[in-house]
Amino acid sequence: MTDTQTTRLLIIGPPGAGKGTQAAAIAERYGVPAISTGDIFRANIKGGTELGKRVQAIIEKGELVPDSLTNEIVQDRLAQPDAAAGFLLDGYPRTVDQVHALDGMLEGSSLDAVVLLEADVDAVVARLLKRAEIEGRADDTEDVIRHRQQVYAQQTAPLIELFSERGILVTVDGLGTVEEVAARIAEGLESKLAAPVES
């Protein structure tokens, strides 16, 4: 196989914006793996790997997995053969420090595009309250959901600014049917990823 174009993507958005659903569709469209840090942690723990044991020990203490270990796990995942032609990250990077760590892993080349799913807070809160009711999640009260939205906004605002400055941000309205949102993402990514030179 000759040198092919890699597609390195990231999806970000508030809890309840439908990232997981859209991530799967984007990954399939571009033929790249969807890499979720939560899934990686669970797979490593289940597989009993050295990394998994370290993560489990931290989680069992009720602590957050530190950046250094998260970076290590992502680097390990990106080194696997299926990610050679690209990937779609979901859940990482979450901080500016993690963005810089990712830049280091990608050895100078950065992400090609970042999909930002935007959604009206009230609409997302209503969606999550409905889901909590259906799934019987008594802990997902309106206060808890609104707090999660605030935490997301505080944590990701610097990232959104950074990706915007790099000119790789694709902002998409995350409200509507799955198909409508997917069509908006496809349109936004096509314009962002359009190769400047056709051979």
Side-chain angles (χ1 to χ4, degrees):
M1 203 161 83
T2 55
D3 188 32
T4 54
Q5 179 69 38
T6 59
T7 308
R8 295 163 159 175
L9 307 170
L10 165 67
I11 187 165
I12 55 177
K19 288 190 303 297
T21 304
Q22 295 300 338
I26 297 165
E28 195 175 324
R29 187 178 312 123
Y30 287 96
V32 296
I35 299 174
S36 151
T37 43
D39 290 348
I40 294 172
F41 288 151
R42 283 185 287 276
N44 273 279
I45 290 167
K46 193 175 175 187
T49 67
E50 202 52 49
L51 286 172
K53 287 173 191 165
R54 285 160 63 191
V55 169
Q56 191 164 18
I58 292 163
I59 293 170
E60 281 173 358
K61 287 183 201 162
E63 294 172 4
L64 289 174
V65 178
D67 276 7
S68 57
L69 188 52
T70 306
N71 295 340
E72 195 180 325
I73 283 184
V74 171
Q75 186 161 15
D76 177 68
R77 180 63 185 87
L78 294 183
Q80 292 172 21
D82 67 334
F87 50 79
L88 170 72
L89 289 168
D90 174 10
Y92 177 95
R94 284 181 189 267
T95 64
V96 172
D97 283 347
Q98 287 182 353
V99 172
H100 295 313
L102 180 62
D103 289 343
M105 291 175 214
L106 301 180
E107 294 167 356
S109 59
S110 67
L111 294 163
D112 297 308
V114 176
V115 175
L116 168 62
L117 280 186
E118 282 194 325
D120 175 72
V121 172
D122 290 335
V124 170
V125 168
R127 183 190 283 180
L128 289 174
L129 283 171
K130 192 173 181 181
R131 187 168 84 184
E133 194 181 316
I134 293 166
E135 296 179 7
R137 297 185 187 186
D139 296 342
D140 278 4
T141 63
E142 183 165 346
D143 285 347
V144 168
I145 291 168
R146 285 192 183 277
H147 176 69
R148 263 191 248 138
Q149 298 290 326
Q150 286 169 345
V151 169
Y152 161 80
Q154 287 161 359
Q155 285 180 343
T156 34
L159 296 191
I160 292 165
E161 195 178 325
L162 180 69
F163 293 134
S164 180
E165 283 169 9
R166 291 184 180 185
I168 57 172
L169 196 67
V170 177
T171 305
V172 175
D173 179 0
L175 294 177
T177 66
V178 170
E179 293 74 20
E180 285 167 350
V181 177
R184 286 180 211 136
I185 291 171
E187 194 181 321
L189 281 177
E190 266 165 46
S191 63
K192 191 64 72 180
L193 298 174
V197 181
E198 290 287 343
S199 52

